[in-house]
Amino acid sequence: MIKLKQGIYLHILPTTKFKTLSIQLKFRSPLGADQITRRTLLANMMDINSKYYPTQIDFRKKLSELYGASFFTDVSRYGNYHVLSLHMDCIDEEIIQETGVFEKVMDFMRQVIFFPNVYNGAFHDATFKREVEKLRDDYLSRYDDKAVYADDKLNTLYFDSPEHQMLSYGQISDLNDVASSEVYETYLKMIHEDQIDIFIVGNVSEQEVLSSLQAFDFHPRDPEWRDPFYKLNRHRELKEETESHDINQTILTMGFSTPVYYQEDFYCTGLVFNGLFGGMTHSKLFQTIREEENIAYAISSDIDAFRGLLSVEAGIEFKDMEKTQTIILQQLKEMREGRFTDYELFQTKELLKSELHQIDDSPHAMIENRYSLSLIGKGDLTIKDWIRRIDSVEREDVSHLAESINLEAIFNLIGENN
């Protein structure tokens, strides 16, 4: 990692295994309920045009001229941080035997960042209105996807603060009175105050990268620090809600609090636990509820390691709702008692290690891995380091962790006739 200026860091991951260069700029801000939707609109505005390429056609034509380079933006929540990312992939110029491609691509990125489609302190009005309606449609589409909707409702029920209850890309109510001038203010705040991490993966030298960044006129900043992990006040009274919609399949979601946080003491044990419990096809939930009892269309578990949430989701018949909940809790009890085989433990570790090896096969996975580590102030971990930590997890560790996992919230989505 190279410190370019206060609050601005460069991460170069040199490799010759890809035919492309991958570039990402990540703008990190403390998570704030009043800013999440605005930052999402900002990301969407930066994704389609700029001052020099004011229409989407102009924008995409320029990318085509850069040998089919791709560009997109997104937003993410990492615990108590909100991150707006700009992604760009371009051809390795050695493949086409032409020089200057990397510099042109970086100049395009510079123009997108520093010259947005802004007039008189506000984003281009027609473009802004169109993006507001597109985002509104995105929010509404989550209601139509009932599994996604149930997951959103569990999130709202489980967490106790607005910025964690809402989606990582905001909420529909914020669109009712948002102004393009407010989103421009959000842009200025991001450019001047956010911590910036710049990632380059591919066949490129440090000198080339530093030279290309000289024109990026970022000013030093002193970003506000937050503990990246959101830690819930555990052992609360169980929260449970049920809604009825025009659906045939009942969707059961359950939220459990855990002490599993990224790279902290229980992290690798948490990966093994989740694989054994419900995260893999040989897991207890999948084998018991779907295969043996045959009462679930689908069932799985997942851990949010920046917020300590273990979520379980099952698609079932309404008549099997209580039975399914009972079996899930029974399987957790069996995990606490160490009632899983040595082979299941071995199989889980091997599958996890296989997933780890895949990190180095994707430039985007490499960046995500490095960025997640930087968020918690840790240096790079090699694949060998990861594997050693996975292999060190014993069955007693898994059982001990399971004892610390508590059911906090249940959301049921049922049919109107039930």
Side-chain angles (χ1 to χ4, degrees):
M1 182 174 70
I2 302 171
K3 182 177 180 180
L4 299 177
K5 295 178 182 178
Q6 179 66 28
I8 305 171
Y9 302 92
L10 171 64
H11 312 255
I12 303 175
L13 286 70
T15 178
T16 57
K17 70 186 302 182
F18 305 119
K19 295 181 179 180
T20 58
L21 297 178
S22 293
I23 305 153
Q24 289 189 26
L25 274 79
K26 293 182 174 292
F27 295 83
R28 180 200 311 177
S29 173
L31 192 68
D34 62 333
Q35 288 294 312
I36 295 175
T37 306
R38 293 182 189 181
R39 285 171 66 91
T40 301
L41 279 169
L42 171 59
N44 292 353
M45 294 296 293
M46 297 178 77
D47 185 57
I48 59 170
N49 60 32
S50 68
K51 181 177 181 179
Y52 296 121
Y53 307 104
T55 71
Q56 195 162 7
I57 293 175
D58 295 332
F59 201 77
R60 298 303 162 187
K61 180 181 178 181
K62 181 60 181 179
L63 288 170
S64 179
E65 291 172 359
L66 295 172
Y67 295 91
S70 64
F71 175 85
F72 69 94
T73 65
D74 64 24
V75 294
S76 305
R77 174 172 43 213
Y78 294 81
N80 289 316
Y81 284 116
H82 195 259
V83 177
L84 189 157
S85 302
L86 311 180
H87 307 250
M88 195 158 188
D89 293 300
C90 66
I91 191 75
D92 180 350
E93 55 191 40
E94 286 193 7
I95 301 295
I96 56 174
Q97 298 183 335
E98 180 170 333
T99 60
V101 176
F102 176 66
E103 287 79 5
K104 292 176 183 177
V105 165
M106 291 299 287
D107 188 58
F108 176 84
M109 184 77 88
R110 180 188 64 83
Q111 292 176 7
V112 169
I113 294 169
F114 292 101
F115 299 96
N117 195 9
V118 169
Y119 301 88
N120 300 319
F123 279 95
H124 181 257
D125 188 60
T127 304
F128 180 76
K129 289 178 179 177
R130 185 169 65 246
E131 290 305 309
V132 167
E133 292 311 306
K134 284 174 62 179
L135 185 56
R136 190 187 306 276
D137 289 341
D138 287 344
Y139 292 139
L140 292 173
S141 70
R142 295 183 74 87
Y143 180 87
D144 296 329
D145 187 328
K146 298 308 180 183
V148 170
Y149 176 80
D151 185 61
D152 292 346
K153 293 294 289 187
L154 178 70
N155 201 68
T156 302
L157 190 62
Y158 179 89
F159 290 103
D160 52 15
S161 59
E163 61 268 25
H164 288 280
Q165 290 175 330
M166 70 174 64
L167 304 173
S168 63
Y169 61 100
Q171 58 189 4
I172 194 168
S173 60
D174 290 339
L175 298 179
N176 294 335
D177 56 2
V178 66
S180 61
S181 59
E182 293 173 328
V183 176
Y184 180 59
E185 291 172 3
T186 296
Y187 161 80
L188 293 175
K189 181 178 175 66
M190 180 187 81
I191 288 294
H192 293 294
E193 299 180 17
D194 281 18
Q195 175 165 324
I196 303 172
D197 289 88
I198 304 167
F199 292 85
I200 313 284
V201 179
N203 184 22
V204 65
S205 70
E206 180 179 313
Q207 182 178 352
E208 286 179 286
V209 175
L210 291 174
S211 176
S212 70
L213 288 171
Q214 287 181 356
F216 284 63
D217 191 23
F218 290 122
H219 300 295
R221 71 275 320 278
D222 186 18
E224 180 183 343
W225 183 88
R226 293 274 181 90
D227 183 341
F229 301 129
Y230 178 81
K231 297 188 175 180
L232 188 76
N233 293 322
R234 302 173 67 203
H235 305 290
R236 307 170 300 171
E237 182 178 347
L238 176 65
K239 299 179 180 180
E240 184 168 7
E241 285 186 8
T242 299
E243 283 188 17
S244 60
H245 286 206
D246 183 16
I247 55 175
N248 295 320
Q249 177 182 295
T250 290
I251 301 173
L252 164 67
T253 59
M254 304 172 74
F256 299 79
S257 61
T258 81
V260 177
Y261 292 93
Y262 187 68
Q263 299 301 337
E264 290 202 338
D265 292 344
F266 289 104
Y267 180 62
C268 285
T269 303
L271 295 179
V272 175
F273 167 87
N274 185 59
L276 281 166
F277 184 58
M280 297 176 175
T281 55
H282 69 279
S283 66
K284 295 177 76 65
L285 296 185
F286 190 90
Q287 290 299 319
T288 302
I289 297 176
R290 189 179 187 278
E291 299 298 302
E292 295 175 15
E293 297 288 341
N294 195 28
I295 57 174
Y297 303 103
I299 186 163
S300 62
S301 68
D302 190 38
I303 291 182
D304 180 337
F306 277 89
R307 301 194 291 174
L309 167 64
L310 168 70
S311 56
V312 175
E313 180 179 301
I316 55 178
E317 297 289 342
F318 174 75
K319 64 182 178 60
D320 295 317
M321 189 166 66
E322 288 190 16
K323 182 178 181 180
T324 304
Q325 290 185 29
T326 299
I327 295 175
I328 291 170
L329 295 176
Q330 176 62 33
Q331 296 309 303
L332 177 58
K333 181 175 182 290
E334 291 190 7
M335 293 292 292
R336 291 168 176 165
E337 295 170 351
R339 292 166 61 184
F340 47 87
T341 68
D342 290 338
Y343 179 72
E344 288 168 337
L345 181 62
F346 168 79
Q347 186 179 15
T348 301
K349 291 181 179 181
E350 291 304 301
L351 288 170
L352 286 170
K353 289 187 287 186
S354 177
E355 292 174 3
L356 288 172
H357 281 296
Q358 294 174 25
I359 291 176
D360 285 343
D361 294 332
S362 164
H364 291 246
M366 292 171 67
I367 292 172
E368 179 63 26
N369 180 48
R370 179 68 66 87
Y371 188 60
S372 295
L373 289 167
S374 73
L375 279 168
I376 60 172
K378 290 187 180 292
D380 195 20
L381 281 175
T382 66
I383 297 299
K384 288 183 178 180
D385 293 331
W386 281 86
I387 289 175
R388 177 179 51 78
R389 295 182 63 186
I390 292 294
D391 279 335
S392 70
V393 175
E394 304 289 346
R395 68 166 43 250
E396 293 79 10
D397 300 323
V398 177
S399 297
H400 178 62
L401 170 61
E403 292 173 357
S404 301
I405 293 175
N406 299 287
L407 179 61
E408 304 278 353
I410 302 172
F411 178 76
N412 304 300
L413 190 62
I414 65 174
E416 292 177 339
N417 297 324
N418 298 129

